[in-house]
């Protein structure tokens, strides 16, 4: 048996746990990523020793040396997944094994150690069991889980660190987009790119998101909700949003999504929606799609819908697109039936309201 699976978790008590009354009050109006549960998980890695010191303890500041490698060389990766309250009162997560596998793919690209996938899932299970009262009812939201790992060794020198800290924190969440609109408006960036061939675009690391913040602010200045990036070489082919993948629905029943070319994050929601769409009878293709063709197809009516997809928002219809090269409306500008049906199908599985035909749900507590 893999010795990493033998790790025992030490439980540290909470000095001042949140009272039931304060927790209920805090969860009365859920936003996204601003409210956090009482506990966190930490596991340490030391070269030559492996993973050790697994702790379930109070959520608290992390002591960090000012020379810690993450602060200077950005060895850092993370994941995002959700835990859902099911009709029988139990709590389950959607495809955590896929997140565990992607976490290690990111670790490889950032020259970081792999975390055994069983340990990844067990760390989530420990946290959810401790903070199960923080999981919202299905009609109010979900518990967003954020596993992350960073280089903690104190040194100044360009090489992979020899010490790391893995953590998991949790946040009860409601809707991702604050506008409350049924469809979002995108800004297409022709000046900035998110990732380049051979870079870190397929890894879920903080640097990719930091690179999206400036073009995102430009999009906001133009009244848009999100920014969409084109490829770095020709500035022609659609890749993804700052934090979500994208899909296009055509009037012949075909759905297209840009191919995973090394600069696009392989989204778990994207992969799941492909299967859900195929189950519903749609033809799903991975193929390049240009901004110019997108504009032409939207104006001609060939393109019926477009939507963004990711863990945080699941599916978000795209109603309008703006850029320095022209603006256009998609469909009626208010989303479409395909996006609504696919979202209902996927969320139904996540909430235990529809059959889990693919075995995606993992019970946590």
């Amino acid at each position: 048996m893999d010795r990493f699976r033998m790790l025992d978790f030490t439980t540290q008590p909470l000095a001042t746990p949140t009272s039931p009354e304060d927790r209920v009050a805090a969860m009365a109006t859920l936003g996204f990523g601003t409210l956090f549960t009482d506990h966190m998980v930490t596991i340490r890695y030391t070269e030559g020793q492996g993973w050790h010191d697994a702790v379930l303890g109070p959520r608290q500041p992390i002591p960090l040396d000012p020379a810690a490698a993450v602060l200077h060389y950005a060895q850092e990766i993370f994941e995002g997944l959700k835990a859902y309250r099911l009709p029988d009162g139990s709590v389950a997560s959607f495809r955590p094994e896929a997140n565990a596998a992607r976490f290690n793919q990111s670790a490889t690209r950032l020259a970081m150690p792999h975390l055994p996938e069983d340990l990844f899932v067990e760390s989530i299970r420990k946290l959810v069991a401790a903070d199960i009262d923080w999981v919202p009812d299905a009609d109010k939201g979900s518990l967003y889980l954020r596993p992350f790992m960073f280089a903690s060794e104190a040194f100044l020198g360009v090489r992979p660190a020899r010490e790391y800290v893995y953590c998991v924190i949790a946040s009860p969440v409601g809707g991702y987009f604050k506008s409350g609109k049924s469809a979002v408006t995108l800004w297409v960036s022709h000046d900035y790119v998110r990732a380049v061939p051979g870079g870190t675009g397929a890894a879920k690391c903080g640097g990719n998101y930091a690179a999206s913040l400036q073009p995102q602010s430009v999009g906001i200045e133009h009244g848009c909700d999100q920014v969409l990036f084109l490829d770095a070489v020709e500035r022609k082919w659609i890749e993804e949003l700052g934090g979500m993948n994208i899909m296009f629905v055509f009037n012949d029943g075909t759905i297209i999504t840009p191919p995973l070319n090394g600069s696009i994050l392989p989204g778990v929601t994207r992969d799941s929606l492909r299967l859900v769409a195929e189950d519903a009878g749609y033809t799903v293709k991975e193929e390049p799609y240009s901004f110019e063709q997108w504009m032409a197809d939207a104006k001609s009516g060939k393109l019926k819908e477009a939507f963004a997809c990711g863990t945080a928002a699941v599916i978000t219809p795209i109603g309008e697109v703006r850029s320095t090269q022209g603006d256009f409306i998609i469909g009626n500008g208010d989303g479409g039936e395909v996006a609504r049906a696919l979202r209902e199908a996927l969320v139904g599985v996540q909430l235990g309201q529809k059959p889990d035909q693919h075995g995606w749900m993992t019970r946590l507590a």
Side-chain angles (χ1 to χ4, degrees):
M1 182 179 290
D2 189 333
R3 70 185 180 94
F4 294 118
R5 298 179 187 173
M6 301 293 288
L7 277 183
D8 292 325
F9 280 75
T10 299
T11 301
Q12 296 177 348
L14 292 176
T16 54
T18 304
S19 70
E21 295 78 15
D22 288 345
R23 183 179 62 251
V24 169
M27 294 175 64
T29 305
L30 292 176
F32 197 95
T34 57
L35 176 65
F36 298 95
T37 67
D38 285 333
H39 293 85
M40 65 188 289
V41 164
T42 59
I43 310 176
R44 296 187 176 275
Y45 177 91
T46 303
E47 188 175 288
Q49 182 179 358
W51 292 100
H52 59 92
D53 291 342
V55 176
L56 170 68
R59 180 182 176 274
Q60 59 189 349
I62 300 172
L64 198 62
D65 191 287
V70 65
L71 301 176
H72 303 272
Y73 309 111
Q75 271 189 291
E76 178 272 343
I77 59 174
F78 65 97
E79 272 299 323
L81 63 163
K82 290 178 177 178
Y84 303 88
R85 180 82 64 182
L86 301 184
D88 64 0
S90 65
V91 176
S93 185
F94 180 75
R95 301 187 67 184
E97 299 84 1
N99 291 95
R102 188 174 66 179
F103 191 76
N104 282 335
Q105 292 166 6
S106 297
T108 295
R109 183 62 185 86
L110 274 292
M112 302 171 77
H114 280 200
L115 181 78
E117 293 179 15
D118 286 349
L119 186 54
F120 179 100
V121 176
E122 182 62 17
S123 69
I124 292 167
R125 195 185 308 276
K126 292 288 186 184
L127 182 58
V128 169
D131 286 334
I132 192 168
D133 290 337
W134 289 90
V135 183
D137 291 336
D139 61 341
K140 295 180 180 177
S142 57
L143 186 68
Y144 184 80
L145 301 165
R146 172 51 61 87
F148 61 99
M149 176 167 59
F150 63 89
S152 56
E153 182 187 2
F155 77 100
L156 298 178
V158 183
R159 62 163 172 79
R162 300 189 179 105
E163 298 174 2
Y164 298 85
V165 176
Y166 166 81
C167 299
V168 190
I169 56 176
S171 172
V173 298
Y176 182 70
F177 288 104
K178 299 177 181 178
S179 67
K181 296 187 296 185
S182 58
V184 296
T185 300
L186 295 190
W187 174 255
V188 178
S189 179
H190 293 278
D191 299 319
Y192 297 95
V193 297
R194 174 186 170 273
V196 300
T200 60
K204 199 166 179 68
C205 61
N208 293 341
Y209 294 80
S212 74
L213 299 180
Q214 171 59 19
Q216 171 72 13
S217 67
V218 174
I220 291 173
E221 291 173 0
H222 287 83
C224 299
D225 302 290
Q226 278 277 316
V227 63
L228 180 137
F229 293 99
L230 305 177
D231 75 287
V233 178
E234 298 182 71
R235 306 290 179 93
K236 172 181 179 179
W237 305 105
I238 296 166
E239 292 211 328
E240 66 172 285
L241 280 66
M244 305 176 76
N245 296 124
I246 189 168
M247 291 185 167
F248 306 93
V249 183
F250 296 88
N251 57 13
D252 64 355
T254 299
I255 297 176
I256 288 178
T257 188
L260 300 179
N261 55 8
S263 60
I264 294 175
L265 185 72
V268 176
T269 303
R270 170 190 180 276
D271 180 64
S272 305
L273 283 171
R274 290 194 59 192
L275 293 173
V276 170
E278 288 171 354
D279 290 344
Y282 294 97
T283 299
V284 183
K285 299 179 181 180
E286 287 193 17
E287 58 184 48
Y289 191 52
S290 70
F291 172 73
E292 291 80 5
Q293 191 63 51
W294 187 16
M295 182 185 294
D297 289 344
K299 291 181 177 179
S300 71
K302 179 180 178 181
L303 179 75
K304 289 178 57 180
E305 303 176 36
F307 58 84
C309 56
T311 296
V314 186
I315 285 181
T316 300
I318 300 165
E320 183 179 355
V321 179
R322 300 174 184 173
S323 78
T324 56
Q325 296 186 12
D327 304 343
F328 56 93
I329 302 293
I330 298 174
N332 61 8
D334 194 36
E337 290 301 321
V338 176
R340 280 190 282 271
L342 292 180
R343 188 183 195 282
E344 179 181 337
L346 187 59
V347 171
V349 174
Q350 293 171 336
L351 299 182
Q353 299 167 348
K354 293 182 180 295
D356 181 12
Q357 298 178 358
H358 298 283
W360 282 334
M361 300 304 293
T362 296
R363 182 164 176 165
L364 300 178

